[in-house]
Amino acid sequence: MAQIDPLVPRLHPVLSSAGILRELEDESIEILRETAATFRNPVLLYSIGKDSTVILHLARKAFYPAPIPFPLLHVDSTWNFKEMITFRDHIVAKHGLRLIAHINEDGLRDGITPFSHGISEYIRVMNTLALKQALDKYEFDAAIGGSRRDEERSRAKERIFSVREPGHQWNPRNQRPELWRTYNTRMTTGQTMRVFPISDWTELDIWNYIWQEDIEVNPLYFAKERPMVRRGEQFIMVDDERYPLEEGESPEMMMVRFRTLGCYPLTAGVESTATNLEEVVEEITGVRLSERATRLIDGDKEDSMEKKKREGYF
């Protein structure tokens, strides 16, 4: 049997070439190092999904053998999938990371849920306000996140170094040009920065890089029999007893996986038989719809992603 050279990246045959992934990796590592060198108190937003998992891997590479020079921040809405929290704690312990988990205690006290106050208000209180609270409390001047330009229209307007005005407000017209990978990291009083090291990556790039680097990802990305109910055209997992069932309804066990992760009542699963990384990669190559199509928070025309971002949502 032929020996596998550990220095040669393993690549899925239908995805990005090793050269493309190396260029993307080099660019992202440069951005992470520039962030650490430029800002007084940066933080890495860890959403526990595949994109932030890839950024965490890139950060470990960027500063190896030293530890990552900034903490991780998880904004905990209290409605994440249980497997997300288990995976988060496992990764933090495995790599000896510094984690800040922040909950909007005011919203928790007031009983803000996706069902009691509606999706938009829930997202505003338990995600947007919670993020702004944490950034202000710990005086972070730069927040590193996993947004990609191919995900959604408003995210395509972002720069890699994206200025936020006082109060974490985003104005797309005030963003600076970034020609020839020249970044402007200057800020005036009250401004902060959002940093997007994987802006130029696609979903296929992300999965091929996970394949190449053998990165551990959340098991929710792989198909498994899970208790699901149908809401409109979407399948929602009943992850705990808090999910309100309709009269006469009971969850049905279905083979599903998730293309994106978040609050479980707002994140739809997709029917799938892809139980391992190779099968996931092959399945994604035939999909034309963005993974954000399974996020219920993006479906409200009156409360678009751009409006959320202007208010401080990541």
Side-chain angles (χ1 to χ4, degrees):
M1 179 180 293
Q3 296 296 310
I4 298 175
D5 187 343
L7 298 180
V8 176
R10 61 172 195 162
L11 292 170
H12 195 278
V14 297
L15 295 183
S16 315
S17 71
I20 291 173
L21 289 180
R22 178 59 61 84
E23 289 179 7
L24 290 170
E25 180 188 69
D26 288 347
E27 179 186 44
S28 298
I29 286 176
E30 177 189 354
I31 292 164
L32 288 165
R33 289 173 176 168
E34 180 73 13
T35 302
T38 302
F39 297 99
R40 174 183 53 82
N41 189 24
V43 65
L44 194 162
L45 297 189
Y46 185 49
S47 69
I48 318 171
K50 64 185 184 304
D51 297 323
S52 64
T53 296
V54 164
I55 291 182
L56 177 58
H57 180 82
L58 290 164
R60 293 178 59 234
K61 270 195 163 186
F63 303 104
Y64 182 83
I68 298 173
F70 35 74
L72 276 60
L73 171 63
H74 175 223
V75 175
D76 187 354
S77 69
T78 73
W79 285 87
N80 287 138
F81 290 95
K82 289 181 289 188
E83 284 182 87
M84 291 177 64
I85 303 303
T86 301
F87 183 79
R88 178 197 72 184
D89 295 342
H90 160 68
I91 291 297
V92 167
K94 178 179 179 180
H95 299 298
L97 304 168
R98 293 180 291 152
L99 173 73
I100 298 168
H102 181 80
I103 298 173
N104 183 346
E105 296 293 345
D106 294 333
L108 193 63
R109 179 201 62 215
D110 294 340
I112 306 294
T113 76
F115 309 104
S116 63
H117 290 71
I119 294 175
S120 296
E121 180 64 5
Y122 163 75
I123 292 297
R124 186 187 72 83
V125 174
M126 299 306 292
N127 286 288
T128 303
L129 288 183
L131 173 60
K132 292 160 72 171
Q133 285 176 351
L135 296 177
D136 290 340
K137 177 180 179 179
Y138 297 99
E139 299 182 343
F140 294 123
D141 57 349
I144 305 163
S147 297
R148 306 188 325 268
R149 289 174 177 146
D150 74 326
E151 287 182 281
E152 194 270 341
R153 293 178 186 176
S154 66
R155 290 186 165 172
K157 299 178 182 179
E158 287 279 20
R159 301 295 188 263
I160 289 174
F161 286 90
S162 182
V163 176
R164 294 299 192 266
E165 302 303 328
H168 307 284
Q169 302 296 306
W170 177 62
N171 187 339
R173 297 189 178 187
N174 288 349
Q175 301 305 307
R176 296 108 174 230
E178 291 178 335
L179 306 176
W180 304 288
R181 296 171 69 176
T182 301
Y183 307 125
N184 185 341
T185 59
R186 291 177 296 175
M187 297 186 298
T188 60
T189 302
Q191 289 182 330
T192 56
M193 193 73 73
R194 304 284 172 90
V195 184
F196 303 107
I198 59 170
S199 285
D200 294 334
W201 298 51
T202 67
E203 184 184 11
L204 289 177
D205 293 328
I206 290 292
W207 280 109
N208 200 23
Y209 189 71
I210 290 169
W211 173 277
Q212 172 183 300
E213 298 288 302
D214 196 21
I215 300 171
E216 184 178 6
V217 295
N218 197 295
L220 287 162
Y221 286 115
F222 304 112
K224 177 183 174 181
E225 282 204 339
R226 295 182 165 99
M228 311 296 292
V229 293
R230 187 171 189 135
R231 289 290 183 268
E233 298 301 315
Q234 307 276 32
F235 294 106
I236 305 298
M237 178 174 165
V238 181
D239 201 36
D240 59 39
E241 70 284 351
R242 294 177 296 172
Y243 192 85
L245 297 173
E246 297 178 356
E247 185 176 355
E249 183 180 48
S250 61
E252 175 186 355
M253 299 302 293
M254 298 175 58
M255 280 289 289
V256 300
R257 69 177 195 86
F258 295 87
R259 291 181 65 196
T260 182
L261 302 182
C263 304
Y264 83 80
L266 309 180
T267 307
V270 294
E271 292 187 89
S272 172
T273 58
T275 60
N276 57 53
L277 186 56
E278 182 174 7
E279 291 172 349
V280 167
V281 167
E282 290 177 350
E283 183 178 276
I284 290 172
T285 60
V287 175
R288 293 289 178 262
L289 205 60
S290 165
E291 70 262 41
R292 297 284 315 182
T294 60
R295 296 293 292 274
L296 274 63
I297 67 169
D298 297 348
D300 188 346
K301 300 292 185 182
E302 296 180 358
D303 196 19
S304 67
M305 176 63 74
E306 181 159 336
K307 179 177 181 291
K308 293 183 179 75
K309 287 171 63 63
R310 288 177 183 271
E311 295 172 349
Y313 187 78
F314 209 80

